[in-house]
Amino acid sequence: MSNQGYADELRSEQGYLAGLYARLDAERARAKGRYTAAVDGNGGLEAMERDVHVRASAREVKRLDVADNGLCFGRLATLSGEHRYIGRIGLFDEANDYEPVLLDWRAPASRAFYTATAASPEGMRARRQFHSRGRTLVDFTDEVLGRPDGQERGDAALLAAVNAPRGEGMRDIVATIQAEQDEIIRLEHPGVLVIEGGPGTGKTVVALHRVAYLLYTQRERMERHGVLVVGPNPAFLHHISRVLPSLGESDVVFATAGDLVPGLRVTAEDAPEVARLKGSLKILDVLAAAVADRQRVPREPVAIELGGVTGRIDAETAGWAREEARASGLPHNQARAVFTEIITYALTERAIGRIGKGWLTRSDKDGWEQVRKDLVGELADDEVFAATLDELWPVLTPQDLLGSLYASPERLRSAGADESLLRVDSTEWTVSDVPLLDELVDLLGPDKAPDEAAERERKAEAAYAAKVLDSMISREDMMDDEDHLFATDLLFAEDLAERFVEQDTRDLAERAAADRDWTYRHVVVDEAQELSEMDWRVLMRRCPGRSFTVVGDLAQRRAAAGARSWAAMLEPYVPDRWVYRSLTVNYRTPAEIMAVAAAVLADFAPTVQPPDSVRSCGVAPWSRHVTAADLPEAIEAFTRTESTREGTSIVIGPPGTPGAVPASETKGLEFDAVLVVDPDTILADGPRGAAELYVALTRATQRLGVLHQRPLPPSLRGLAETGSA
């Protein structure tokens, strides 16, 4: 194409894009108008219906707002000469039978934009990729498909994206999705999809685009329950949090494994051996035994004064009550009612027999029941009886039970738990405690006291509403008309009371995150190799439909309780309902850096094949020997140099290294430049340390340096030694 021809095409495409933006602006104005009308209550809608309209229109406004950035990023030309423009959302020509003027990237007709090659053009003649700044088209590149030489798809746009400096947060790849990634994104599988890939293969961003695709193709099924995305740490979640909103999807809850019980935000970790014990399914027996240990019988009979006689709660009576309560199958707190009922029955039966001796027999059923009723009322006010019940069958919360278990060597022994679980601060929760606390929610059941208080409040509100209704129907003008409908003909008191309940205006993500019993339609688990068997129990509870996208790399596992195989973790829950896909191309780490990381990988996981880097950066990784006194200045020199360059940088080192971040906190993140400090100290932590060093070395997209105070580990001795950073 001549320079003039290119300039003419550029102007033509800019005109088309301007038309798309005009449509976008018009749709956005209409959506904001609908939102304002719904908020103001125009249209005479009922409150509940109005809330639905408010939320729907708010979602639409948000979807149109995020589409502004990179609205259209390419064009397909078919063999018949038709042009298909591909973008973040779909736009239609209302005046022309809603003919599409912009195809959503998730639509079936858009797929060829990502999968067509010169050898397999899929009915396409050419692909054009746009490069825009804001609403201005800067340039475009063309790729002719179906050429006889069978040349594969050009990678100019991809290389431009992977070479670009990193900013804050992960970017979407909607304009540069590769064929192997697109196949996974659009995979129609109703169960669990495992995506495994080495560092930089794009597995996380592929999983997020898969969520956007599922929300597009199965919106009615998924949007009312939303999606849960679980990541390894808060920094990672912050890093990826913009991807789905940038694709127009906001009904997503982001959480770490330490956030899965509402009200808790846990980041502390146990020692590896303790984490392994807590992460194993064997801990279920410990929890059940710990609950059973709190269901006791008295060592000595407890005297209860009742109706002028003295009754006793002895081991035999309490044992009978405990057996019946356990046999009910109810959670601990709810089974307390059965326990209480049996104890009450035994005490009152014995007391009635003594009180009524000589004048009351069982044949006098009314008299017998009246005395029982009086005695039951007396027991309800008896402090000794109440205290005894609390001692023998206490109402427990998960935190109460687990904290008291960790604090007591005797209780640990009674529950068959390892003594290493004993700790001084029994309620300083760790990430490994969260699935145990979640399990105890089901074992214990709800604490009834708050429920009873809420029920009393509800009844009080209903009583007040009933008075309001009484005053309405007592009006004289209504009493004269036999055919007039009374308020109570249309509305019950409890209905009126509910109208005064404050409406829940939180969006779906806020409501889901605050509700332990919320169930999601789909769950994404990133760095899934770190999750324990107990973690998986929590997640399976959150998604009864078992629809998961699981992302991980077994070679990067650092958790003692983490996965050693995907089958071991998934088969108990989804036998024959999980599929495996792998990503083999490294889009993040240049070949020069990946060669260094691959040498470390070969040492601790020799059977694992490192991913192939798609590019080189032309900058060799370096190492430098420093003394302890020189180390702070060397780190400062690296930070100072990188601050003058575009992009991001980080220093990664063993815990406690001044100015450095532990490798475990960088999982899933990427930076233009990385400085790794004291790799031998990181490696000293055994297999876990080797995995962490591998993670540290593969965070860089452009530049990698290593500072060492002792000789380099053998796997890193190929690094070029330099005198300065």
Side-chain angles (χ1 to χ4, degrees):
M1 184 183 299
S2 67
N3 290 341
Q4 184 59 47
Y6 176 84
D8 291 342
E9 279 286 293
L10 189 66
R11 279 193 297 272
S12 174
E13 298 290 27
Q14 178 65 67
Y16 193 87
L17 263 61
L20 293 178
Y21 276 110
R23 290 180 184 276
L24 177 67
D25 291 339
E27 282 202 25
R28 186 157 39 204
R30 287 194 293 269
K32 289 180 177 178
R34 290 192 294 270
Y35 174 77
T36 301
V39 170
D40 292 343
N42 297 341
L45 299 174
E46 292 294 332
M48 186 176 297
E49 190 177 356
R50 185 171 66 248
D51 286 346
V52 172
H53 279 262
V54 167
R55 287 174 177 163
S57 53
R59 280 198 302 269
E60 180 65 5
V61 170
K62 189 178 295 186
R63 183 182 78 90
L64 295 171
D65 280 342
V66 299
D68 214 332
N69 182 25
L71 173 62
C72 176
F73 46 78
R75 189 192 80 180
L76 284 169
T78 69
L79 294 176
S80 63
E82 174 194 0
H83 286 169
R84 298 179 186 173
Y85 287 85
I86 315 299
R88 291 183 175 276
I89 64 171
L91 293 174
F92 304 90
D93 184 354
E94 298 175 9
N96 189 22
D97 292 330
Y98 284 88
E99 185 73 18
V101 293
L102 181 66
L103 289 172
D104 190 297
W105 67 275
R106 296 165 287 193
S110 300
R111 182 166 190 171
F113 185 78
Y114 303 110
T115 59
T117 65
S120 178
E122 300 187 21
M124 299 298 144
R125 181 174 55 82
R127 172 173 37 232
R128 174 169 290 181
Q129 292 178 296
F130 296 148
H131 175 209
S132 301
R133 290 196 187 98
R135 296 189 171 197
T136 302
L137 180 62
V138 177
D139 59 36
F140 63 81
T141 57
D142 279 338
E143 180 185 356
V144 177
L145 302 171
R147 289 175 295 195
D149 59 6
Q151 182 178 335
E152 291 296 318
R153 174 181 176 181
D155 55 5
L158 172 65
L159 290 177
V162 297
N163 280 316
R166 267 46 181 178
E168 184 181 357
M170 178 179 281
R171 297 169 296 188
D172 65 61
I173 58 169
V174 65
T176 58
I177 294 170
Q178 301 300 290
E180 73 166 357
Q181 297 172 328
D182 185 78
E183 179 185 354
I184 294 172
I185 289 169
R186 298 175 192 263
L187 184 66
E188 297 292 343
H189 178 69
V192 177
L193 167 64
V194 176
I195 307 172
E196 184 163 28
T201 52
K203 52 188 179 293
T204 296
V205 75
V206 166
L208 296 175
H209 283 68
R210 174 169 164 77
V211 169
Y213 175 77
L214 292 174
L215 285 167
Y216 176 80
T217 58
Q218 304 176 29
R219 189 163 301 279
E220 285 190 14
R221 189 181 75 84
M222 294 184 66
E223 71 175 353
R224 285 196 304 161
H225 288 258
V227 173
L228 172 65
V229 176
V230 179
N233 54 59
F236 173 83
L237 295 179
H238 177 72
H239 179 63
I240 69 171
S241 62
R242 297 180 182 180
V243 175
L244 284 168
S246 76
L247 298 172
E249 305 299 348
S250 58
D251 291 338
V252 180
V253 174
F254 293 91
T256 68
D259 301 334
L260 292 176
V261 172
L264 291 181
R265 291 290 182 270
V266 181
T267 57
E269 294 188 4
D270 282 305
E273 178 58 21
V274 175
R276 186 188 63 78
L277 290 171
K278 292 180 181 179
S280 168
L281 292 181
K282 295 177 182 178
I283 200 71
L284 293 172
D285 294 333
V286 171
L287 296 179
V291 174
D293 186 49
R294 304 299 293 272
Q295 301 163 355
R296 299 187 169 184
V297 298
R299 294 179 180 177
E300 299 293 336
V302 179
I304 304 292
E305 297 299 324
L306 188 61
V309 300
T310 301
R312 286 178 173 79
I313 304 176
D314 54 26
E316 183 180 3
T317 301
W320 170 38
R322 181 172 65 178
E323 183 179 335
E324 292 293 328
R326 289 176 175 174
S328 71
L330 295 170
H332 169 86
N333 289 333
Q334 292 165 286
R336 174 184 160 112
V338 178
F339 182 82
T340 303
E341 181 181 359
I342 299 296
I343 297 288
T344 300
Y345 174 80
L347 286 174
T348 55
E349 277 290 300
R350 294 166 188 167
I352 294 171
R354 295 171 63 187
I355 293 169
K357 189 174 183 179
W359 64 271
L360 181 63
T361 65
R362 287 186 179 276
S363 61
D364 183 2
K365 294 182 179 179
D366 291 341
W368 194 281
E369 287 305 316
Q370 182 57 52
V371 176
R372 183 196 301 281
K373 183 177 180 181
D374 294 340
L375 294 179
V376 169
E378 189 176 334
L379 279 177
D381 296 326
D382 190 285
E383 293 182 0
V384 175
F385 181 67
T388 302
L389 289 178
D390 288 341
E391 176 66 24
L392 300 181
W393 199 289
V395 173
L396 296 170
T397 67
Q399 289 85 349
D400 290 338
L401 183 115
L402 200 59
S404 62
L405 177 67
Y406 291 156
S408 169
E410 293 79 12
R411 283 181 172 153
L412 286 171
R413 282 195 295 271
S414 295
D418 192 281
E419 62 181 12
S420 64
L421 298 185
L422 182 69
R423 64 191 191 202
V424 176
D425 191 342
S426 59
T427 57
E428 188 66 30
W429 306 119
T430 66
V431 174
S432 302
D433 290 325
V434 172
L436 278 60
L437 292 167
D438 190 74
E439 189 75 31
L440 286 169
V441 171
D442 287 344
L443 286 177
L444 297 175
D447 177 353
K448 296 302 293 182
D451 295 347
E452 290 164 0
E455 180 64 13
R456 286 195 298 271
E457 184 177 351
R458 186 192 65 77
K459 288 181 177 178
E461 291 171 349
Y464 173 77
K467 291 180 180 179
V468 174
L469 290 174
D470 287 342
S471 68
M472 292 171 65
I473 64 174
S474 65
R475 288 170 45 190
E476 291 183 1
D477 60 335
M478 295 179 67
M479 296 295 289
D480 293 337
D481 188 349
E482 294 180 358
D483 296 327
H484 199 102
L485 280 174
F486 291 122
T488 48
D489 293 325
L490 301 174
L491 190 68
F492 291 103
E494 292 196 5
D495 295 329
L496 182 61
E498 289 176 0
R499 293 198 174 197
F500 292 98
V501 177
E502 184 178 353
Q503 293 291 319
D504 189 345
T505 58
R506 297 173 298 171
D507 63 25
L508 182 143
E510 291 173 318
R511 287 182 284 127
D515 185 355
R516 184 263 176 186
D517 294 321
W518 189 279
T519 57
Y520 298 89
R521 281 289 183 263
H522 192 76
V523 176
V524 175
V525 187
D526 208 325
E527 300 294 345
Q529 73 277 355
E530 308 297 348
L531 269 60
S532 69
E533 292 175 320
M534 288 297 294
D535 289 324
W536 279 108
R537 279 179 67 86
V538 178
L539 294 177
M540 291 296 172
R541 265 188 217 109
R542 299 298 190 270
C543 188
R546 305 291 195 258
S547 177
F548 282 75
T549 299
V550 175
V551 180
D553 179 9
L554 294 177
Q556 295 186 58
R557 179 185 63 82
R558 60 180 292 275
R564 285 171 170 77
S565 79
W566 301 118
M569 290 298 185
L570 298 174
E571 280 292 329
Y573 302 103
V574 285
D576 304 321
R577 279 196 63 216
W578 67 280
V579 296
Y580 176 89
R581 295 291 185 273
S582 63
L583 292 169
T584 58
V585 179
N586 188 331
Y587 300 99
R588 175 207 299 147
T589 317
E592 296 89 340
I593 295 175
M594 197 61 218
V596 176
V600 173
L601 179 67
D603 265 6
F604 77 94
T607 62
V608 177
Q609 182 69 27
D612 295 323
S613 295
V614 76
R615 67 191 174 98
S616 297
C617 65
V619 180
W622 54 268
S623 65
R624 177 186 169 195
H625 181 267
V626 295
T627 65
D630 293 336
L631 182 61
E633 172 55 31
I635 293 175
E636 174 59 28
F638 169 83
T639 304
R640 188 168 53 248
T641 299
E642 289 301 329
S643 68
T644 65
R645 293 170 167 158
E646 188 178 4
T648 59
S649 63
I650 194 171
V651 179
I652 302 175
T657 304
V661 175
S664 60
E665 295 181 18
T666 67
K667 299 204 79 168
L669 308 183
E670 57 183 29
F671 306 88
D672 291 275
V674 171
L675 180 67
V676 177
V677 178
D678 289 338
D680 59 305
T681 305
I682 299 175
L683 274 175
D685 200 11
R688 171 170 161 161
E692 294 214 343
L693 181 57
Y694 183 57
V695 168
L697 295 171
T698 54
R699 299 307 95 193
T701 67
Q702 301 291 343
R703 299 174 295 281
L704 172 68
V706 174
L707 296 178
H708 58 102
Q709 299 181 64
R710 288 174 290 277
L712 282 171
S715 58
L716 295 182
R717 287 176 187 167
L719 281 170
E721 192 76 18
T722 181
S724 66

